[in-house]
Amino acid sequence: MKNKLKIFSGRANPPLALNIASVLDRSLGEISIKTFSDGEIWVKYEENIRGCDVFLIQSTNGPSENIIELALMIDAAVRASAGTVTVVIPYFGYGRQDRKDQPRVPISSRVIVDILSAMGANRIITMDLHSTQIQGFAKIPFDNLYSRKIFYSVIKNNNFNPEKTVVLAPDIGSAKMSQSYAKTLGMHFALIEKRRFAPNQAEVNHLIGNLDSLDVLIIDDMVDTAGTTVSAADAAIAKGANSVTVVATHGVLSGPAVQRLNESVIDKLIVTDTILIPEEKQIEKIETVSAAGLFAEAISRVHDGESLSALFEF
């Protein structure tokens, strides 16, 4: 007999969790989460989850309390005798610190995976990891979904003429993903070579490819402070591009990001709802599309014991 499916949400992004549950024609489970006056977090499941397949939805973007909250949710579920505990992390925080690139620094991605595993999680599901090697840190199943399945249709609906559109990779790291978009959509491809001289600070060195009189699509896994994105857009316009549209999975939008985007030559930024964008950051240039359908399908397949392979095909 199949275990009962129950879905719970942390406080990082309740609207996405509600949408995922709605796609699955279910209600979110009852859970109480409180923060005491000293900053400590308290968690309690308000319904029986013994023997259930429990899915916990929580992005681990800042503040870091989101990570602690998720760890406590996992521990509480394990102690309540859940059958399985799957953590659904739409945005995997600390994903950029995935290697020891200088002396005396942590491999933070590994730390996060170790916390989740140590608390008793049976599986991790996320989307567009900054580095796919993070999956190798886990001894439990770790599924990395691709937002391409969402964005291909969004881009087509925006009526880009493939012959007059170029996919511009904003740095070497995103070149492979950008080439995949260009090939699938039948568009041109160009690449920016940049030099990073500090965290969140980089400058454009070279732009390889023809952008003259073309519409530009910049593809990336996230927009954080938007410095790289805006610099790439400026370089594109300087090379004769007609317009610049940015497509990114995760709208981190920290620090001066919103102001930079508002004042930039970028026509539109399209992001998914993996991170809850507060109302004060929702400017006209930002368009949000939902990733709920893809996560819902992944949850359904895991619960039913079906393969996730179809979700990785594009």
Side-chain angles (χ1 to χ4, degrees), residues 224-242:
D224 186 0
T225 61
T228 295
T229 308
V230 170
S231 294
D234 289 340
I237 294 298
K239 287 286 186 177
N242 282 337

Side-chain angles (χ1 to χ4, degrees), residues 8-20 28 57-62 66 69 88-91 249-251 272-278 288-292 295:
F8 296 89
S9 173
R11 295 180 293 182
N13 195 346
L16 174 58
L18 280 168
N19 286 341
I20 292 171
L28 287 176
I57 301 172
Q58 176 87 323
S59 284
T60 53
N61 52 289
N66 287 332
E69 185 172 293
V88 180
I89 308 176
Y91 171 72
T249 308
H250 309 297
T272 71
D273 54 356
T274 55
I275 294 175
L276 181 62
I277 300 175
T288 304
V289 296
S290 185
F295 282 112

Side-chain angles (χ1 to χ4, degrees), residues 90-112:
Y91 171 72
F92 189 94
Y94 288 89
R96 284 173 283 185
Q97 300 174 43
D98 60 352
R99 63 196 181 282
K100 196 169 184 292
D101 58 352
Q102 53 185 297
R104 300 178 296 281
V105 298
I107 303 178
S108 304
S109 300
R110 173 65 189 264
V111 173
I112 302 303

Side-chain angles (χ1 to χ4, degrees), residues 67-78:
I67 297 169
I68 299 298
E69 185 172 293
L70 177 58
L72 296 178
M73 290 170 69
I74 297 168
D75 186 67
V78 170

Side-chain angles (χ1 to χ4, degrees), residues 207 211 214 216 232-244 265-267:
L207 196 159
L211 308 184
L214 296 175
V216 169
D234 289 340
I237 294 298
K239 287 286 186 177
N242 282 337
S243 67
V244 178
V265 297
I266 294 168
D267 295 283

Side-chain angles (χ1 to χ4, degrees), residues 133-145:
Q133 75 178 34
I134 295 170
Q135 290 171 283
F137 296 153
K139 293 182 179 179
I140 58 176
F142 193 149
D143 301 301
N144 180 38
L145 306 179

Side-chain angles (χ1 to χ4, degrees), residues 11-213:
R11 295 180 293 182
N13 195 346
L16 174 58
L18 280 168
N19 286 341
I20 292 171
S22 177
V23 172
L24 292 168
D25 198 23
R26 293 176 179 272
S27 300
L28 287 176
E30 291 292 324
I31 184 171
S32 295
I33 305 175
K34 300 176 183 176
T35 301
F36 293 123
S37 60
D38 64 355
E40 291 187 7
I41 297 169
W42 177 85
V43 172
K44 181 185 178 184
Y45 291 93
E46 300 290 358
E47 58 187 82
N48 183 16
I49 58 173
R50 181 178 295 272
C52 295
D53 284 344
V54 172
F55 290 81
L56 308 178
I57 301 172
Q58 176 87 323
S59 284
T60 53
N61 52 289
S64 56
E65 279 83 354
N66 287 332
I67 297 169
I68 299 298
E69 185 172 293
L70 177 58
L72 296 178
M73 290 170 69
I74 297 168
D75 186 67
V78 170
R79 294 178 189 277
S81 302
T84 62
V85 179
T86 300
V87 290
V88 180
I89 308 176
Y91 171 72
F92 189 94
Y94 288 89
R96 284 173 283 185
Q97 300 174 43
D98 60 352
R99 63 196 181 282
K100 196 169 184 292
D101 58 352
Q102 53 185 297
R104 300 178 296 281
V105 298
I107 303 178
S108 304
S109 300
R110 173 65 189 264
V111 173
I112 302 303
V113 170
D114 284 351
I115 289 172
L116 302 177
S117 302
M119 290 303 99
N122 300 106
R123 190 182 201 110
I124 300 169
I125 300 174
T126 189
M127 178 180 282
D128 282 358
L129 282 169
H130 189 69
S131 173
T132 54
Q133 75 178 34
I134 295 170
Q135 290 171 283
F137 296 153
K139 293 182 179 179
I140 58 176
F142 193 149
D143 301 301
N144 180 38
L145 306 179
Y146 297 108
S147 62
R148 276 171 259 196
K149 293 181 74 71
I150 302 166
F151 283 137
Y152 283 150
S153 58
V154 171
I155 291 170
K156 288 175 182 176
N157 290 340
N158 274 264
N159 299 317
F160 287 99
N161 182 343
E163 293 180 2
K164 295 182 178 180
T165 306
V166 57
V167 178
L168 175 63
D171 53 37
I172 301 293
S174 61
K176 186 177 180 181
M177 177 173 63
S178 298
Q179 281 179 318
S180 177
Y181 271 86
K183 182 178 179 181
T184 302
L185 297 169
M187 296 175 176
H188 305 283
F189 172 74
L191 170 66
I192 284 178
E193 190 271 314
K194 70 179 184 183
R195 179 172 299 166
R196 185 174 296 280
F197 51 90
N200 295 122
Q201 296 182 52
E203 60 182 15
V204 174
N205 275 3
H206 302 288
L207 196 159
I208 305 163
N210 177 38
L211 308 184
D212 192 36
S213 300

